[in-house]
Every structure is written in structure tokens, then in C-alpha cells.
Amino acid sequence: MANGQWYPPEWPARIRALAEGTLTPVAPKRAATVMLLKDTGTGTAVHMLRRRASMAFAAGAYAYPGGGVDPRDDDHTVRWAGPTRAWWADRLGVPESDAQAIVCAAVRETYEEAGVLLAGPTPDTVVGDTTGDDWEADRAALVARELSFAGFLDRRGLVLRSDLLGAWTRWITPEFEPRRYDTWFFVAALPQGQRTRNASTEADRTVWIAPREAAASYDKGELLMMPPTIATLRQLAPYGTAAEALAAAPGRDLTPVLATARLEDGEIVLSWPGHDEFTKHIPTGGGPA
């Protein structure tokens, strides 16, 4: 493998079926993921986790904390601070209820998988230490969906700090995938006093790593990643601080990136618009080349 690009072995057959019209795409589910950043003595580092080898999807691949929207993430009782739901709806290009759900999912999943909470007792404060048995009990209840995010914030007397997030990009899982997600990627800075930990049952390792270093390891085939992950790492590399990346977020284009597959000269060409490095040519009788 020339780099750390991750391609499932079943993709060629599914791509051929889609091109032949025998595969009906499933509707993508809403999801959110957060590129959590912190400043170091040599630049910015991003928090990444490695998916367990036992996972059915993207096993062994490095990714960011994130996951699907909980149906209760659009609960109107969610305590909210920062830009309004209407502002987020305009920024994300979705209805207000969807915008709230996506932002809530980003904050909730970051807490569930990394133990970092972008919320505070007031609109201009952030919680400090989120460790301890009582916090862990609440986090576990969120993961088990025994507690809604709105209920969690209410119990703790906290408000979600939507101003701590910056919408970065949006990727939609290819139509030939059996599990599809419409995922919004956000950037956020690690709040002062908080620290990350591997709280995810889906990950066997977590790291803080410079985006350039992670991208270089991918290029050498040392780190496995899916296209959205390496693409966003390359986009983050030029920024020397978390604040610089957050400041750049409002100007980012959120037009969805969706892979396309077409038949051309006896082979299937798989491509992601605007990301030529991921283009693959798949012979009608073989795997990606």
C-alpha cells in the first residue's frame, strides 16, 4: 500500500452494482465529528483515536471523536449559548432543528468519546475538570442513551457553548456504502483545565499529533485513514494555533463532498470532487488500483 488510505474489500463489487443500477443507495444519517485542537511548543496538535481492529467499519483507521445524531439532540429544551440556532441553520444549510441536533451531536460525542465537554455554567464560562465517578456515571448514561443531552445539561446546570465550535467541512458517505452518514466536521480548542482520555469503546488508542506529522505518517503507510480524515489533516496543517484554525472556520466552504463512481473505458473510476489524490481506477474484474 503506497499510503495509509483505507478501502474496504467489498467496495469494487458494490461500486459495480451501483454503476449497473442493481444497488439502491441507503439514505445517509446525520452525524458530527470534532477535530479537537491544542497548542504545543511546536505548533498545533489534534486529538485522534484509532478504531479497534474488531470494528466492522474502518477497523484500525485513525479518526476524530464523533458519531451519529441522537433523535433527542433536537430537543428544544437544550440549554444553549453562542450563535443562535437560526445562525447555525444558515451556516450549515439545514433547518434550525437539524442545526441544533448536529451541533449537539458534536458536543455530546466529544464528551462521550474523549471526555471533553464544550459547556459551562454560564454563556461565557467552561467547566474545568470533568473527571470523577459522578461525571463518569453521567457520561456512561449518555452513551447508553439512558440520558438525553438536554437532560444531562439540565442536571448539571450547564449551557452548551456553540461558540466554541467552528464548522469546517461536510462529507457524505459514498452512495455504494451500506452504512452512510452525512457528517459535519467541526474544529474546537481543548478547554483550559480539561484533558482528553480514551473513553470510547470503539477505540484502542488515542493520540495528540501534529496534523503535518499525521499526514506524513499516512503518506508513508504508517497510519490508516479514510479520505475525509487525511483531507482535513492537510487542511489544518497550515495553522500554527488552535485560535487561527477557529478564526478560519467561518470562511470555509461547506458544500458536501460526495464520492462519485462512473464507468469509463472498461473500468470504474472512483473520485472525490476537489480531492484528486483519492481517485481510484477499478478494473471491472478487480480491486482498486
Side-chain angles (χ1 to χ4, degrees), residues 21-32:
T22 59
L23 176 67
T24 301
V26 299
K29 299 179 179 179
R30 297 172 301 175

Side-chain angles (χ1 to χ4, degrees), residues 87-179:
W87 184 93
W88 277 106
D90 182 66
R91 177 70 181 116
L92 301 180
V94 297
E96 283 190 34
S97 60
D98 284 2
Q100 174 185 297
I102 293 162
V103 171
C104 279
V107 176
R108 175 181 52 73
E109 288 284 344
T110 301
Y111 180 56
E112 289 181 9
E113 296 198 338
V116 171
L117 184 58
L118 304 176
T122 67
D124 56 358
T125 58
V126 186
V127 294
D129 188 3
T130 59
T131 60
D133 292 343
D134 58 333
W135 283 101
E136 178 56 25
D138 279 352
R139 192 197 66 79
L142 283 170
V143 173
R145 299 298 180 259
E146 298 167 354
L147 178 65
S148 70
F149 194 60
F152 166 72
L153 293 175
D154 187 60
R155 175 185 296 183
R156 290 279 175 179
L158 301 173
V159 293
L160 180 153
R161 290 285 307 275
S162 75
D163 57 313
L164 298 182
L165 288 168
W168 191 261
T169 189
R170 177 183 178 186
W171 287 63
I172 300 177
T173 309
E175 292 183 332
F176 46 81
E177 274 280 22
R179 299 181 184 88

